[in-house]
Amino acid sequence: MKVHGANIILTGASRGIGEAAALELSRRGANLLLAARSRDLLEEVAAEARKEGVEVHSMVVDVADDAQVRAMVKRAEKHFGRVDVLINNAGLGLASPVSELDPDDLAYVFKVNVIAPLVAIRAVLPSMLDRGSGHIVNVGSVASHIASPNLGGYSATKFALKAMSDSLRMEVRDQGVAVTLICPGAIKTDFVVNSRGEPEGRLPLKPVGAPVDQVGRAIANAIARRQAEVFVPAYYQALVGANAAAPQVMRLAGKELMKFGTDLAERFMG
Ligand code: NJP
């Protein structure tokens, strides 16, 4: 789908990957409804995006509340007349060994990372199917493919989002609606400090990883190219392939590999 002139709902737009996507999409001429809970941050992103001369609305939405998610879709339809693209980006991490995983924390992270995208998809999909065009973008993770120590709960939510994306893609394939799963690896945002559980001592608190604008560009490209799945940076695809071919390596040395990866990221990408 052409990004220029597309009407897009983007959740989690107040900072991090969502902010980068908002700026990239506005540069490419998309109209945006930006959603998140932090009103001031959201308004700053919206003001920046408006400088590109596109139509930008911001809306305070807590995606953990189904009614607010449905109201977000209604508002976008009212402003734009139709929604071409839904980007489910809002999400959070959960850092805990499974032996200490709090079921309430896991339920909350499932609500934000999996149920909220589902509620939004069900709200936009009927009119996309009626028109025979539309695009759903879900922001998953490399953790949609590989589970690792201390991230079992988080991975469970992102595996679920991948499964839902894969099924939906097959279901709507012949009806003009595309489905993308974006799979970021470590990206330099405040994602870890915003995680539930106890990230301290388990994950690097200082933002490390690839620059966030890489993900913004990847999201815009995925819409333009109707890509099914995109890894950011692209080399994570090789890691996922290697893990699928030889899962015993992660089983035997997962802890050590995670520590090695974290040390590398802190040293070279911090
Ligand atoms: O994280 P962060 P990222 N209702 O914490 C919003 C995935 N990912 O940008 O409400 C509404 O800087 C929050 O807004 P606010 C990750 O799983 C990342 O890195 O104002 N919005 C903010 O805009 C997630 O799906 C990495 O607090 C809610 C945004 O979500 C996506 O990338 C690696 C909300 C979070 O911004 C963006 O994460 C990976 C709610 N209840 C996957 N809760 C990475 N950074 O390394 C949160 O594999 N938000």
Side-chain angles (χ1 to χ4, degrees):
M1 171 180 303
K2 268 176 75 174
V3 173
H4 190 93
N7 301 320
I8 299 179
I9 296 177
L10 170 62
T11 68
S14 58
R15 52 190 148 83
I17 289 173
E19 175 180 8
L23 299 181
E24 181 66 25
L25 291 164
S26 64
R27 274 194 287 275
R28 297 197 195 186
N31 303 312
L32 301 168
L33 184 135
L34 306 177
R37 293 164 303 177
S38 312
R39 185 185 300 277
D40 292 351
L41 291 180
L42 200 53
E43 205 30 67
E44 279 173 30
V45 177
E48 201 55 35
R50 274 185 206 111
K51 289 183 186 161
E52 301 297 332
V54 291
E55 187 178 339
V56 182
H57 303 277
S58 62
M59 182 173 174
V60 173
V61 177
D62 182 346
V63 299
D65 179 341
D66 297 356
Q68 292 187 40
V69 174
R70 291 192 193 99
M72 169 185 80
V73 172
K74 280 221 165 73
R75 174 89 72 90
E77 286 173 341
K78 184 165 162 262
H79 284 313
F80 299 133
R82 59 161 212 280
V83 175
D84 299 304
V85 183
L86 164 70
I87 305 174
N88 285 310
N89 165 70
L92 79 163
L94 176 53
S96 171
V98 173
S99 57
E100 294 169 28
L101 193 52
D102 181 333
D104 291 338
D105 278 348
L106 182 61
Y108 178 76
V109 180
F110 253 101
K111 182 83 192 174
V112 173
N113 290 3
V114 184
I115 307 300
L118 173 66
V119 173
I121 288 167
R122 290 204 52 187
V124 293
L125 200 55
S127 63
M128 287 182 176
L129 294 175
D130 278 352
R131 291 196 312 274
S133 91
H135 198 133
I136 309 287
V137 178
N138 292 327
V139 178
S141 174
V142 168
S144 296
H145 293 263
I146 305 179
S148 49
N150 296 321
L151 288 172
Y154 176 66
S155 242
T157 70
K158 293 296 184 177
F159 269 61
L161 188 62
K162 172 175 164 50
M164 219 162 63
S165 306
D166 287 348
S167 293
L168 179 64
R169 188 179 305 111
M170 293 182 252
E171 289 157 7
V172 298
R173 194 189 66 179
D174 300 329
Q175 296 166 81
V177 178
V179 179
T180 298
L181 185 72
I182 300 284
C183 298
I187 307 296
K188 214 182 262 186
T189 70
D190 288 330
F191 170 75
V192 171
V193 284
N194 293 328
S195 293
R196 288 225 167 174
E198 265 189 40
E200 199 162 353
R202 292 178 174 149
L203 298 171
L205 290 181
K206 192 171 139 245
V208 290
V212 72
D213 45 329
Q214 272 190 27
V215 194
R217 283 196 298 277
I219 289 174
N221 289 339
I223 295 166
R225 299 171 189 163
R226 292 175 77 84
Q227 289 167 301
E229 192 163 44
V230 180
F231 291 85
V232 198
Y235 54 73
Y236 277 103
Q237 182 154 20
L239 191 71
V240 166
N243 183 61
Q248 63 276 23
V249 175
M250 194 68 181
R251 273 183 218 134
L252 291 172
K255 268 190 186 166
E256 293 75 11
L257 286 173
M258 277 298 280
K259 181 160 178 354
F260 178 68
T262 303
D263 290 348
L264 267 188
E266 277 186 332
R267 187 137 179 225
F268 296 109
M269 299 169 98

